[in-house]
Amino acid sequence: MKNADTIGKNENKMPNTNRPRISVILPTYNERENISELMGELSFYISKYIGDDFELLVVDDDSPDKTWQEAERYSEIDHRIRLIHRTGQRSLALAISEGIREAKGGIIAWMDCDFSMPTYRLVELIKKVFEGYDVAVGSRFVKGGKDVRGPADSWSIVILSRLMNSFISFVLGASFKDYTSGFVAVRRTIFDNGIKINGNYGEYFIDFIYNSRKRGYKIIELPYYCLPRRRGYSKTGSNLWDYLRIGWVYVLFTLKLRLNLNKWSPP
Ligand SMILES: Nc1nc2c(ncn2[C@@H]2O[C@H](COP(=O)(O)OP(=O)(O)OP(=O)(O)O)[C@@H](O)[C@H]2O)c(=O)[nH]1
Ligand SMILES: [Mg+2]
């Protein structure tokens, strides 16, 4: 007898269960211009290379551009699309955490919604979990990966991001490279067994990887080319100063994590 926890573990056949095999969480804040095309591409690739048994969970933080309306419109015509419309507290990490709580799939994935992460690569990450990995991460910093974001004036941001990730790797474990990826497919059971999403913005991923590694989960990084966002604006920042500010938060977070000083209370 199969139960939900075995979904995705060394099997490629669809289990006899009423929950979808795969949940893809799409956190959005002002991504109205991207979201429908993104959902279209993801549906195409997942259907074609894995199967129709998936759900796309848009978790929107009440975007002023009304991204949630766009997702709602699609959810009314496609049962595989669901919307979580959050109000009150804006936070990328809390949005993903809520998505995980609501996700029905045996494999849970998430990614940015600006096309910086190629949709077809998500299929590869999901397949790695089917093959037996617990966590499959899209990585800019392993061989074959690259950060090709931005016009010429953002090279300083790309270099800063690289330096910061090297520092985090140095402090938390050099065999892992992209501690701020946010492009990932995960076996659901690791959440059932206690892994949590902690933090407010991108630092949640540092914490997630650190704790998953500490618990001995089987993790792989697959290279990808991180592209400039297709439309809309960055929520991390628009200039070097914004990135320096957030980078500093990540560096402090990493040091505290290593020294076991981060204290979390459930949201
Ligand atoms: N729900 C939710 N999503 C968010 C929030 N902030 C950012 N996001 C989403 O998180 C993803 C990453 O944000 P981006 O603005 O692309 O940040 P970035 O990748 O550092 O910036 P770019 O260099 O422009 O790609 C996108 O899908 C955003 O829409 C938030 O507060 N709530
Ligand atoms: Mg982005």
Side-chain angles (χ1 to χ4, degrees), residues 112 114 116 229:
D112 291 0
D114 56 359
S116 56
R229 67 161 40 246

Side-chain angles (χ1 to χ4, degrees), residues 38-69:
L38 184 81
M39 291 190 297
E41 275 195 20
L42 281 171
S43 302
F44 172 78
Y45 284 118
I46 299 174
S47 298
K48 185 169 163 75
Y49 294 108
I50 299 179
D52 254 338
D53 197 14
F54 66 88
E55 63 176 356
L56 304 180
L57 234 78
V58 177
V59 190
D60 187 76
D61 275 355
D62 205 20
S63 297
D65 77 351
K66 299 202 169 25
T67 307
W68 50 272
Q69 253 178 12

Side-chain angles (χ1 to χ4, degrees), residues 21-261:
R21 270 198 305 177
I22 298 153
S23 300
V24 181
I25 298 166
L26 300 172
T28 55
Y29 192 78
N30 284 347
E31 303 288 359
R32 191 185 179 102
E33 296 168 286
N34 292 314
I35 194 64
S36 47
E37 199 175 324
L38 184 81
M39 291 190 297
E41 275 195 20
L42 281 171
S43 302
F44 172 78
Y45 284 118
I46 299 174
S47 298
K48 185 169 163 75
Y49 294 108
I50 299 179
D52 254 338
D53 197 14
F54 66 88
E55 63 176 356
L56 304 180
L57 234 78
V58 177
V59 190
D60 187 76
D61 275 355
D62 205 20
S63 297
D65 77 351
K66 299 202 169 25
T67 307
W68 50 272
Q69 253 178 12
E70 195 70 2
E72 193 169 52
R73 201 159 63 83
Y74 280 85
S75 70
E76 282 161 9
I77 51 175
D78 186 340
H79 70 279
R80 298 169 307 185
I81 294 173
R82 291 204 283 147
L83 167 70
I84 301 174
H85 183 178
R86 288 169 23 96
T87 52
Q89 192 180 13
R90 194 192 141 188
S91 158
L92 173 62
L94 285 181
I96 291 171
S97 185
E98 191 154 340
I100 292 167
R101 268 199 303 278
E102 289 293 321
K104 295 177 180 161
I107 295 175
I108 301 177
W110 63 90
M111 64 191 289
D112 291 0
C113 300
D114 56 359
F115 291 97
S116 56
M117 300 161 175
T119 46
Y120 62 89
R121 292 300 281 165
L122 187 71
V123 170
E124 304 301 324
L125 298 178
I126 292 168
K127 280 186 174 169
K128 285 293 166 194
V129 182
F130 277 117
E131 281 171 26
Y133 286 94
D134 297 304
V135 181
V137 179
S139 176
R140 295 161 290 179
F141 306 129
V142 291
K143 194 163 180 280
K146 207 169 179 178
D147 196 341
V148 289
R149 272 181 302 171
D153 65 354
S154 73
W155 285 123
S156 46
I157 289 171
V158 172
I159 291 165
L160 184 76
S161 164
R162 177 92 216 205
L163 281 175
M164 188 187 65
N165 272 281
S166 300
F167 173 80
I168 299 171
S169 275
F170 174 72
V171 175
L172 299 183
S175 55
F176 193 88
K177 303 293 176 206
D178 200 343
Y179 275 92
T180 56
S181 159
F183 185 24
V184 67
V186 181
R187 188 182 309 288
R188 174 193 196 87
T189 44
I190 84 165
F191 299 114
D192 299 340
N193 292 334
I195 289 286
K196 298 214 167 1
I197 299 296
N198 298 312
N200 179 51
Y201 197 59
E203 73 279 9
Y204 85 86
F205 203 77
I206 305 173
D207 179 87
F208 169 70
I209 293 297
Y210 180 68
N211 285 319
S212 300
R213 280 165 57 89
K214 223 164 78 174
R215 289 188 186 209
Y217 286 121
K218 207 172 160 198
I219 305 178
I220 187 170
E221 283 182 279
L222 295 188
Y224 84 99
Y225 270 36
C226 181
L227 304 169
R229 67 161 40 246
R230 208 175 270 180
R231 301 179 201 94
Y233 71 95
S234 169
K235 282 90 218 178
T236 299
S238 56
N239 55 46
L240 185 60
W241 174 245
D242 290 339
Y243 276 82
L244 274 171
R245 207 163 30 82
I246 287 200
W248 178 240
V249 171
Y250 292 177
V251 164
L252 280 184
F253 182 90
T254 301
L255 291 171
K256 282 186 184 169
L257 197 60
R258 188 74 183 87
L259 298 170
N260 210 13
L261 296 176

